[in-house]
Amino acid sequence: MDRHPEVISHSFLHCIRDMIRLVAALLALAASCLGQWDPGVTNGQVIVHLFEWPWSDIARECEEFLGPRGFGGVQVSPPNENVVVHQDTVTRPWWERYQPVSYQLVTRSGDENAFKDMVSRCNNVGVRIYADAVINHMSGGWPTGTVGTGGTSFDSGAESYPGVPYSGFDFNDGNCQTASGSIEDYSDANQVRNCKLTGLNDLNQGTEYVRGKILDYLNKLIDYGVAGFRVDASKHMWPGDMKAIFDDLKDLNTEHFGANARPFIFQEVIDLGGEAVTSLEYVGNGRVTEFKYGKFLGEAFRGSNQLKWLVNFGEGWGMIDRQYALVFIDNHDNQRGHGAGGKMILTFRDARLYKMATAFMLAWPYGFTRVMSSYYWEQHWVGDHDENDWVGPPMDSQENIVGPTINPDATCGGGWMCEHRWRQIFNMVEFRNVAHGTDMNDWWDNGNNQISFCRGGKGFIAINNDSSDLTQTLQTCLSAGTYCDVISGSKDGGSCTGKSVTVNSDGTAYIEIKTSEDDGVLAIHVNSKL
């Protein structure tokens, strides 16, 4: 049947309008669905854990270093009020930050206003803030009348935390079936999730009241502009209870993020295999910390495995799918011998190997990467245990954390290691940003511990962990020209401060990494071309 042109046009416009609305709805749904797995970064593809830094120092670091250097975000220490532990007169233990007293935003890193200022200033330079959320438990056992960092009193024996408030009705004692009330058998998932972790009063997230208090706290942080959360002790909470919390979180603050943007969630789940609780149970809630990653790389670079086997590193090694993984070489726990990996974990104390492993991580296309930034402490080994593993950050006579000083060469002083300011690491952050969106190709190895590979046509890396020099003509996948090696130096105007590499018209180049060199890595990328 013939129709009048105006009718056809009117119907067509209605159809187009409905299609636009449908596409917009689908895009919003996709953003919402992907949100908890998407870091929401705009500046770069790497975050750094500024462990125990004061809020004001983090704000300055975002503006002066992290933003200009292409870091995507910062994981900050727990911002909520915690118990005050006087272990000695020199410092206080770092782990007091993981014993909440209330959800007030007052810690040795700063008060609520300082936290808000930090988040705003970092967001303004494109650096996102991810708060360490301690929501599995409250404090351990402390004498009646003990106060927190904000002056709030509590009674851990009675499980009374008036600063929230929580009472004995809000904890898992009735659901734990062990004689001690603590976890006694990690092969029993009910114990792992319903009993006390090292004596810490275990919250019952199965109740609407507890979930509501946790939601109020996390939503306040979202209102202030945080981009997401590292969720401490996630394996000790039921995935369904956590999902109920995460599903009810607010969208991110539109002052800094787009409409319908969801908080990024990465959950601490230590899973090396052989236990009742697995990482795969949590991937439906967000990303998961893949502890196997740092353990396996530590073993490889320490010589317990050969680098040639890294050709399929990731899922091929029994790790979770890359889209769910948050990866790292070390974290604040296992660099102290806790958590997972034991003495195989590489730390700043093994500087040469640590920089090599970090370079591999930042060049390898698996997971979302986090770099560690530490402070120094003197170890005191008794058997296999460091008796100083509790030592907290540098502090003044009033017990305030004294943040890092910045040396003329841009490294840190004042007792802070600041691995993220090591040239070999921050230059590889740029490498990862440049190579983002490409996969690994043109793998080469010498059958042992010399390897190289390309990242599309964007970057090339070679690593020598052998006892002999690497002297080889290799495919770099880059266009002809001269490139600055970003490990031994940087590109500075029209020259290189370190080694240079000449790439031929066929993409090949002569690569040399001698065992006598400070670093066992060479890396070039499109932005390092002269």
Side-chain angles (χ1 to χ4, degrees), residues 475-493:
Q475 177 57 247
T476 70
C477 310
L478 296 173
S479 61
T482 301
Y483 294 77
C484 296
D485 168 34
V486 299
I487 300 297
S488 60
S490 302
K491 186 174 83 168
D492 185 7

Side-chain angles (χ1 to χ4, degrees), residues 82-93:
N82 58 265
V83 67
V84 176
V85 182
H86 296 285
Q87 188 138 340
D88 67 12
T89 58
V90 178
T91 187
R92 281 164 39 188

Side-chain angles (χ1 to χ4, degrees), residues 288-325:
V288 176
T289 51
E290 180 51 275
F291 277 84
K292 294 173 185 173
Y293 191 95
K295 175 181 182 291
F296 291 156
L297 283 186
E299 290 169 347
F301 280 94
R302 288 189 186 278
S304 295
N305 206 343
Q306 293 171 296
L307 297 192
K308 69 175 184 178
W309 300 118
L310 297 178
V311 63
N312 65 339
F313 194 62
E315 296 90 345
W317 286 54
M319 289 184 264
I320 58 176
D321 190 282
R322 64 189 62 194
Q323 66 181 317
Y324 301 130

